[in-house]
Amino acid sequence: MSEVLRLAVPNKGRLEGPTARLLSDAGLSYENAERALSVRVRNVALELLFVRTEDVGELVADGVAQLGITGLDLLAESGLPLEVVTLLGFGRCRLTAAVPNDSPVTDISGFTGLRVATAHPRITARYFGEAGIEMTLVPLRGSVEVAPKLDVADAIVDLVSSGSTMLVNGLRPVATLLESEAALVGGPGYPAGDGERVATMLQAVVAGRRQRYVLMNAPESALDDITAIIPGITAPSVVPLATRGMVAVHSVVAASDMWEVLPRLEKAGASGILVLPIEQMIP
Ligand code: AMP
């Protein structure tokens, strides 16, 4: 095992860009202009290993890296005994069973006897096995969605995010086998100390992205109503303004609630409402 902690990350594909943004948002400073296999982070005792997304789990399981970033679907498909340290909130998709639009199949019992193309044979076999449905697996590495058109298969199990690829290929979803997103994973020797620091920093970015910092001015008389709307992590901060009877209220609100919260704050008497991003947050 190397002295410096190693984090294996995707070097291409869908998870590459969002992973690079996460590392940069966490304040890791590195440059990989020549697209080297590994690079030492300047400001933290950490080495990044740039590998194919599907190899991340294996490298972590082998102890070549102590931590890795990969998709939950790949982790489940690999069957490797790794620990999900934290979910990262990107690379969201579903592993979906689908049939051609003109198929009479409406639920998974209809998959009996069908040829099912998939790049996730392990998860697929387990899913249909547990449901007591006998089908024939057609393992493929890619282009799963065109298998029915080529008459290589009658149905597919493939990853879907928006669903547009399936739509374009004339496929209709029937069931979801697995919900996936990118995750930080740790090996059997998942280290305390430096490893935990890396996990904490990435978690802080992920948590920050889900929240907004909200500031507003309000008459003191509206404080109870406003506190009820935005209770914050512990309680909102309240700072007196130079104008007597007026206060500034600061709080943290889930980004997904802003749509509902802002009009209520305005109605409760708040004005000068500002919504700011949070770069990192440890609740
Ligand atoms: P790659 O094959 O390198 O582009 O990476 C594929 C990984 O990205 C998958 O294993 C998933 O974890 C994730 N992913 C997210 N959305 C999708 C999608 N719509 N199709 C395929 N993979 C997706």
Side-chain angles (χ1 to χ4, degrees):
M1 201 180 275
S2 64
E3 272 175 42
V4 58
L5 189 78
R6 278 191 181 148
L7 171 65
V9 297
N11 67 351
K12 53 172 158 284
R14 283 170 196 268
L15 302 185
E16 184 209 353
T19 299
R21 272 193 295 284
L22 174 67
L23 300 181
S24 154
D25 288 355
L28 297 181
S29 161
Y30 64 93
E31 215 170 306
N32 192 13
E34 278 128 51
R35 299 188 72 81
L37 172 65
S38 71
V39 53
R40 191 50 217 270
V41 175
R42 288 196 198 98
N43 55 333
V44 179
L46 181 69
E47 189 176 349
L48 301 176
L49 276 191
F50 297 99
V51 299
R52 283 154 37 114
T53 313
E54 55 264 50
D55 292 338
V56 166
E58 195 62 56
L59 290 168
V60 177
D62 289 349
V64 176
Q66 290 74 47
L67 293 166
I69 291 179
T70 188
L72 288 181
D73 60 300
L74 294 170
L75 194 61
E77 183 60 26
S78 72
L80 292 166
L82 298 182
E83 187 185 336
V84 174
V85 181
T86 188
L87 298 176
L88 299 175
F90 59 82
R92 284 215 173 97
C93 54
R94 304 179 299 282
L95 191 62
T96 302
V99 293
N101 281 331
D102 58 5
S103 162
V105 172
T106 53
D107 60 28
I108 61 153
S109 64
F111 276 62
T112 306
L114 298 190
R115 296 166 301 161
V116 183
T118 184
H120 294 78
R122 221 181 155 123
I123 302 173
T124 304
R126 193 184 327 128
Y127 178 82
F128 285 104
E130 282 171 5
I133 292 162
E134 280 189 35
M135 44 89 217
T136 306
L137 272 181
V138 181
L140 295 177
R141 294 299 296 268
S143 306
V144 171
E145 65 282 358
V146 297
K149 257 190 229 151
L150 302 175
D151 197 24
V152 178
D154 311 301
I156 67 162
V157 168
D158 201 11
L159 292 172
V160 179
S161 37
S162 70
S164 58
T165 308
M166 285 217 172
L167 209 64
V168 166
N169 285 286
L171 296 163
R172 169 166 51 82
V174 174
T176 299
L177 281 65
L178 181 100
E179 305 263 358
S180 180
E181 69 182 273
L184 178 70
V185 299
Y190 167 60
D194 284 350
E196 251 167 41
R197 275 198 347 196
V198 171
T200 301
M201 286 305 286
L202 300 189
Q203 273 160 358
V205 174
V206 174
R209 285 175 177 173
R210 294 190 174 132
Q211 309 285 332
R212 297 287 179 270
Y213 192 70
V214 186
L215 306 81
M216 74 214 71
N217 296 332
E220 253 172 308
S221 56
L223 210 48
D224 285 350
D225 287 349
I226 288 175
T227 306
I229 301 168
I230 46 166
I233 299 174
T234 312
S237 308
V238 179
V239 186
L241 292 186
T243 309
R244 201 178 285 273
M246 290 291 288
V247 289
V249 184
H250 297 202
S251 195
V252 170
V253 179
S256 57
D257 291 346
M258 289 312 303
W259 189 253
E260 188 234 341
V261 161
L262 280 189
R264 287 178 64 201
L265 287 175
E266 199 183 11
K267 256 201 194 122
S271 60
I273 305 172
L274 304 180
V275 180
L276 308 180
I278 295 176
E279 289 188 4
Q280 288 156 17
M281 171 174 140
I282 297 179

